[in-house]
Amino acid sequence: MPELRKDPIVGRWVIIATERAKRPVAPKPEPQSSDGGYCPFCEGQEDKTPHEIIAYRDRNTRPNERGWRVRVVPNKFPALQVEGDLNKRGDGIYDKMNGIGAHEVIIECPFHEVTLANLSEENIREVLWVYRDRLVDLKKDPRLVYGMLFKNVGAAAGATLEHTHSQLIVTPIVPISVWEEMTGALEFFNYRGRCIYCDMIQQELGLEKRVVLDTPNFISFAPYASRFPFETWILPKNHNSHFENIQKIEVDELGTVLKTILLKLESALDKPAYNYIIHTSPFDTQTLPHYHWHIEVIPRLTRVAGFEWGTGFYINPVPPEQAAEYLRNTEADLNARQKK
């Protein structure tokens, strides 16, 4: 059973998960390709993963067999487990609880592909839609409070398998970084009566110098106080606090936006390792006027070292204005190397 322990000084929760030590620590050295190499995420290897939770499938195909387009399975080495009770308790001055939650892997396509940017826009839309489906389903569990969707690409970003995939970890508490973000947004709302993200969108559209992509329903820009070089955010222009409330017309457009941004980053930076994270609101909240869901894309071009860990400061050698201009001017051919 994993365990959640709380740091009594800063209020940060830590997951103690011994099962994670058994997972691979680097991409497998054996060949991994769709033409005969082994990959547990490729179609035909369904018996190499835990049984699927949900899959978007062709008609007349059966679970855990061929015929799927996007497939969700439990993580084989979960950080949290779904069975059991929270059993919140004290340990002297410390607080802890059982490591209850969910840890799922979204396998984004059945053929062997290492980058989401090479998938068709329709395929990416189905990935985004399955994100929504899993949040909608898991928020029904009263033990669970927050769903974090994220993607690791490349060993430097924490990926242990190269087949394009993303993950969902659902926790029984709101992570401290999310809490701090929401608290800052609430303080701005209480003072100004407006959503800080909506204000940010309007200011970036007015200035244009940090905007990377502007579409009818979305904006992508390099944030003013970027922590990392070429850090790029994607936000819906219409206020929405919960990603799972996204509409189909928005998913259709977001598929194109996400593909474009990833193609630009891969082209401009020679296919860097990167993470993206979807920041959304906790399950146990109604529509929030002060918070705005968004995606943060973070290329792993610099390392976080002693100064950053010790102070919370980040040192970014590339001004966001220069990064945005470079990405704006980088071509993104949506049809190049596209796979169905």
Side-chain angles (χ1 to χ4, degrees), residues 197-222 232-238 253-254 257-258 261 292-295:
Y197 294 94
C198 292
D199 272 17
M200 198 180 297
I201 290 168
Q202 293 307 311
Q203 180 159 330
E204 296 300 338
L205 285 172
L207 294 173
E208 294 187 339
K209 60 184 177 180
R210 285 179 292 271
V211 174
V212 177
L213 190 65
D214 178 13
T215 68
N217 291 297
F218 290 90
I219 180 176
S220 176
F221 59 86
T232 307
W233 291 9
I234 301 170
L235 292 88
K237 290 181 178 178
N238 293 323
E253 189 175 318
L254 182 57
V257 170
L258 183 57
I261 293 302
H292 202 115
W293 77 258
H294 58 285
I295 301 175

Side-chain angles (χ1 to χ4, degrees), residues 26-293:
K28 291 287 187 180
E30 65 263 29
Q32 298 186 12
S33 65
S34 57
D35 57 359
Y38 170 72
C39 170
F41 288 171
C42 283
E43 188 175 40
Q45 303 292 339
E46 290 79 14
D47 62 334
K48 303 300 190 300
T49 67
H51 286 184
E52 67 192 46
I53 297 167
I54 186 176
Y56 294 168
R57 294 185 152 274
D58 298 335
R59 287 187 178 183
N60 302 317
T61 61
R62 296 186 300 182
N64 303 302
E65 295 185 0
R66 291 175 176 270
W68 54 276
R69 301 183 302 279
V70 179
R71 186 169 182 255
V72 182
V73 300
N75 193 298
K76 196 173 182 179
F77 305 98
L80 299 168
Q81 69 179 48
V82 75
E83 301 86 5
D85 299 319
L86 289 173
N87 190 23
K88 298 179 181 180
R89 56 203 185 276
D91 183 4
I93 65 170
Y94 305 113
D95 292 317
K96 64 180 180 179
M97 68 179 84
N98 289 338
I100 301 302
H103 191 173
E104 301 177 359
V105 177
I106 299 96
I107 307 171
E108 297 162 349
C109 65
F111 47 87
H112 195 75
E113 177 55 67
V114 300
T115 173
L116 183 71
N118 281 357
L119 302 185
S120 69
E121 292 167 69
E122 184 55 37
N123 195 157
I124 296 173
R125 289 166 188 147
E126 288 202 316
V127 171
L128 294 169
W129 201 252
V130 88
Y131 288 172
R132 175 219 173 255
D133 278 354
R134 294 311 300 140
L135 290 177
V136 168
D137 183 53
L138 286 162
K139 75 185 299 181
K140 298 173 186 175
D141 189 329
R143 301 171 302 164
L144 305 181
V145 175
Y146 192 81
M148 174 66 75
L149 285 153
F150 63 97
K151 183 176 180 66
N152 304 331
V153 177
T160 55
L161 285 168
E162 67 175 18
H163 188 127
T164 184
H165 67 284
S166 40
Q167 299 182 61
L168 169 62
I169 295 183
V170 184
T171 61
I173 48 90
V174 178
I176 191 168
S177 61
V178 176
W179 183 260
E180 289 172 345
E181 193 175 77
M182 294 181 66
T183 299
L186 180 59
E187 289 175 354
F188 183 92
F189 182 84
N190 288 338
Y191 181 66
R192 300 282 182 88
R194 303 189 305 272
C195 167
I196 191 169
Y197 294 94
C198 292
D199 272 17
M200 198 180 297
I201 290 168
Q202 293 307 311
Q203 180 159 330
E204 296 300 338
L205 285 172
L207 294 173
E208 294 187 339
K209 60 184 177 180
R210 285 179 292 271
V211 174
V212 177
L213 190 65
D214 178 13
T215 68
N217 291 297
F218 290 90
I219 180 176
S220 176
F221 59 86
Y224 176 77
S226 297
R227 298 158 294 176
F228 307 99
F230 292 90
E231 177 179 351
T232 307
W233 291 9
I234 301 170
L235 292 88
K237 290 181 178 178
N238 293 323
H239 184 83
N240 187 352
S241 57
H242 292 70
F243 177 83
E244 63 268 29
N245 292 338
I246 194 169
Q247 301 300 304
K248 185 179 183 303
I249 188 172
E250 294 174 301
V251 169
D252 289 347
E253 189 175 318
L254 182 57
T256 302
V257 170
L258 183 57
K259 179 179 173 75
T260 302
I261 293 302
L262 296 182
L263 282 172
K264 282 176 174 287
L265 287 168
E266 290 186 1
S267 177
L269 305 176
D270 193 22
K271 297 182 179 179
Y274 68 86
N275 305 97
Y276 73 58
I277 307 104
I278 297 181
H279 290 233
T280 185
S281 295
F283 292 159
D284 58 352
T285 58
Q286 300 297 318
T287 299
L288 301 176
H290 62 275
Y291 193 71
H292 202 115
W293 77 258

